[in-house]
């Protein structure tokens, strides 16, 4: 840790009973903990790092982030184990990706150990906000959102010379309240998420701003999420915009689109690492939409799922889209239209490590609050 991190406990944290009421049904992203981490970059150096009471920011109306979107973020979770201890899952992967996103958005790089230390210090300060799962089938965690914004008051177009880094946290309940359900993906012809040389591999707010119209288009077609194709040929599967994509074949191969313009998910990487334990062969390669449609029709592809920190694994049970050649809408069902057994097995294997129910043989957990 190169940052000198001061800890100023919130003078008026939420009362125990009010917090307990929130933790009983937190939903996602609706409630926030008592503290936040903040550090400022000014005169070419990180300074004023502190854990302090959660409070609104004051920004000059000309702050660069408000005009040119110079912003990046991360998403990870803290998990409470049965013995009461609290753990982060591979936070150094998020730290690395945050540094890469910063480079792409011309923001100053926060040293990776400072990223992990500020996240850990926030979870320590807000340990009471980490939910306790009711049993092994219940998911409840503290979602952590580190981010960085350009705060310099200046309307010229160049990298901001003043930046704020912050970490906030929000308790999260099960993503699927009534058990894991499959989603339908809309294969958008109209929009692309990323192109070569763009910001697809960076976790930046601008990518999400551009995804909202596509998401609305998906909803109009009765779909929950979007499946993006590549920007150049509009032929190759990329990802679903907040989650990476996986296919399971009838002979035990787990296929995922190669890196490049997609976001390199920590969940994606962890699944590729865990899958051989479940008897799967893993392949990272380009997969075309035409190939996917053929292989779904023939039964060669048995399952499809999407993966990301928030929902862990989401089974994909159908695709809808507009056929470029005929102009007609099509719908393809995946397997028998129900969540696949392989997706559910991988989901359980990952959750068991995160919640301490399986041995952490890969050293993925970092304890931040002892039992
Ligand atoms: C964050 C994100 C993911 C998933 O990454 P995880 O590290 O697994 O949470 C996938 N795609 C996009 C576009 C993302 O922003």
């Amino acid at each position: 840790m190169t940052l000198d991190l001061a800890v100023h406990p919130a003078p008026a944290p939420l009362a125990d009973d009010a917090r307990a009421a929130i933790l009983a049904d937190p939903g996602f992203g609706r409630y926030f903990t008592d503290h936040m981490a903040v550090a400022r970059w000014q005169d070419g150096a990180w300074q004023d790092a502190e854990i302090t009471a959660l409070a609104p920011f004051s920004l000059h109306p000309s702050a660069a982030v408000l005009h040119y979107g110079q912003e990046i973020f991360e998403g990870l979770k803290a998990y409470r184990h049965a013995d009461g201890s609290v753990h982060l899952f591979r936070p150094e992967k998020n730290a690395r990706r945050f540094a890469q996103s910063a480079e792409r958005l011309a923001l100053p790089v926060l040293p990776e150990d400072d990223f992990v230390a500020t996240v850990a210090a926030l979870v320590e300060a807000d340990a009471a906000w980490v939910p306790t799962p009711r049993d092994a089938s219940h998911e409840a965690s503290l979602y952590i959102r580190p981010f960085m914004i350009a705060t310099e008051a200046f309307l010229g177009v160049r990298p901001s010379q003043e930046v704020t880094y912050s970490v906030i946290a929000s308790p999260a309940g099960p993503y699927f309240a009534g058990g894991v359900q499959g989603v339908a993906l809309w294969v958008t012809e109209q929009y692309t998420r990323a192109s070569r040389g763009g910001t697809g591999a960076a976790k930046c707010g601008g990518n999400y701003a551009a995804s909202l119209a596509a998401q609305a288009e998906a909803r109009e077609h009765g779909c929950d999420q979007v499946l993006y194709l590549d920007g150049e040929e509009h032929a190759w599967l990329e990802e679903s915009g907040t989650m990476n994509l996986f296919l399971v074949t009838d002979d035990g191969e787990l296929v995922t689109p190669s890196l490049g313009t997609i976001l390199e998910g920590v969940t994606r990487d962890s699944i590729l690492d865990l899958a051989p334990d479940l008897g799967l062969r893993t392949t990272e390669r380009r997969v075309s939409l035409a190939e996917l449609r053929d292989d779904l029709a023939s039964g060669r592809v048995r399952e499809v799922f999407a993966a990301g920190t928030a929902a862990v694994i989401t089974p994909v049970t159908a695709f809808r889209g507009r056929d470029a050649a005929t102009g007609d809408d099509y719908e393809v069902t995946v397997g028998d239209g129900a969540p696949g057994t392989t997706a559910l097995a991988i989901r359980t294997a990952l959750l068991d490590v995160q919640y301490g129910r399986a041995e952490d043989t890969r050293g993925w957990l970092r304890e931040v609050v002892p039992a």
Side-chain angles (χ1 to χ4, degrees):
M1 173 99 177
T2 51
L3 271 183
D4 190 7
L5 184 68
V7 179
H8 305 293
L14 196 66
D16 288 350
D17 54 348
R19 189 183 59 246
I22 290 172
L23 294 185
D25 181 22
F28 182 81
R30 284 190 287 151
Y31 303 101
F32 297 91
T33 60
D34 295 309
H35 297 90
M36 62 181 183
V38 192
R40 279 171 240 291
W41 190 80
Q42 213 171 342
D43 303 324
W46 287 106
Q47 41 198 281
D48 306 331
E50 60 175 344
I51 301 290
T52 185
L54 182 76
F57 290 147
S58 167
L59 285 182
H60 192 279
S62 70
V65 66
L66 301 177
H67 303 272
Y68 309 126
Q70 200 188 359
E71 189 266 0
I72 57 170
F73 67 94
E74 269 303 324
L76 69 164
K77 285 174 170 175
Y79 306 87
R80 190 180 295 283
H81 290 187
D83 65 1
S85 59
V86 177
H87 302 252
L88 297 170
F89 182 74
R90 309 186 76 185
E92 64 287 346
K93 296 283 286 180
N94 298 90
R96 182 87 270 274
R97 191 170 65 188
F98 197 58
Q100 288 164 346
S101 297
E103 276 170 15
R104 181 63 186 84
L105 273 287
L107 283 161
V109 168
L110 180 74
E112 292 170 34
D113 54 350
D114 288 329
F115 176 100
V116 175
T118 47
V119 166
L122 180 67
V123 175
E124 255 179 81
D126 283 326
W129 283 91
V130 184
T132 302
R134 282 193 293 273
D135 54 52
S137 68
H138 182 233
E139 281 163 48
S141 58
L142 185 67
Y143 183 80
I144 302 158
R145 169 54 60 86
F147 61 102
M148 198 188 283
I149 56 173
T151 50
E152 186 183 354
F154 177 58
L155 287 181
V157 179
R158 58 147 171 76
S160 179
Q161 290 174 5
E162 286 169 29
V163 164
T164 294
Y165 162 72
S166 180
V167 190
I168 56 174
S170 172
Y175 191 86
F176 299 99
V180 178
Q181 275 150 27
V183 300
L185 294 187
W186 171 253
V187 185
T188 180
E189 288 288 326
Q190 190 170 355
Y191 301 104
T192 53
R193 197 191 78 89
S195 57
R196 199 177 307 173
T199 57
K203 209 166 174 78
C204 60
N207 288 344
Y208 280 73
S211 77
L212 300 175
Q215 205 176 62
E217 186 192 54
R219 292 215 184 282
E220 279 165 28
H221 291 86
C223 292
D224 311 276
Q225 301 273 349
V226 179
L227 172 67
Y228 290 99
L229 302 176
D230 73 287
E232 271 163 53
E233 295 173 62
H234 232 65
W236 306 96
L237 308 183
E238 294 229 313
E239 59 169 311
S240 94
T242 61
M243 287 182 280
N244 297 119
L245 198 71
F246 287 87
L247 318 177
V248 183
T249 68
D250 59 356
D251 63 350
E253 190 181 5
L254 183 69
V255 183
T256 194
S258 327
L259 297 176
T261 51
I262 63 170
L263 200 281
E264 183 174 2
V266 178
T267 316
R268 175 187 182 277
D269 186 75
S270 307
I271 289 169
L272 288 172
D273 205 327
L274 279 176
D277 292 0
L278 299 169
L280 295 158
R281 305 190 315 282
T282 61
T283 308
E284 296 175 67
R285 65 168 171 87
R286 297 211 297 180
V287 181
S288 71
L289 176 64
E291 176 190 342
L292 174 66
R293 286 181 65 182
D294 284 350
D295 287 352
L296 285 171
S298 72
R300 167 146 175 78
V301 167
R302 283 226 178 113
E303 296 181 31
V304 179
F305 63 86
T309 297
V312 194
I313 282 178
T314 305
V316 176
T317 46
F319 291 93
R320 286 183 204 144
R322 181 155 301 157
D323 196 296
T326 66
D328 295 331
D329 283 1
Y330 64 86
E331 167 150 4
V332 212
T333 304
V334 181
D336 60 3
T341 51
T342 307
L344 295 178
I346 294 175
R347 186 169 207 282
T348 301
L350 194 53
L351 287 170
D352 281 350
V353 175
Q354 291 170 334
Y355 286 94
R357 297 186 293 258
E359 200 193 333
D360 175 25
T361 55
R362 292 167 172 85
W364 280 346
L365 298 179
R366 171 187 284 246
E367 185 178 271
V368 284
V369 179

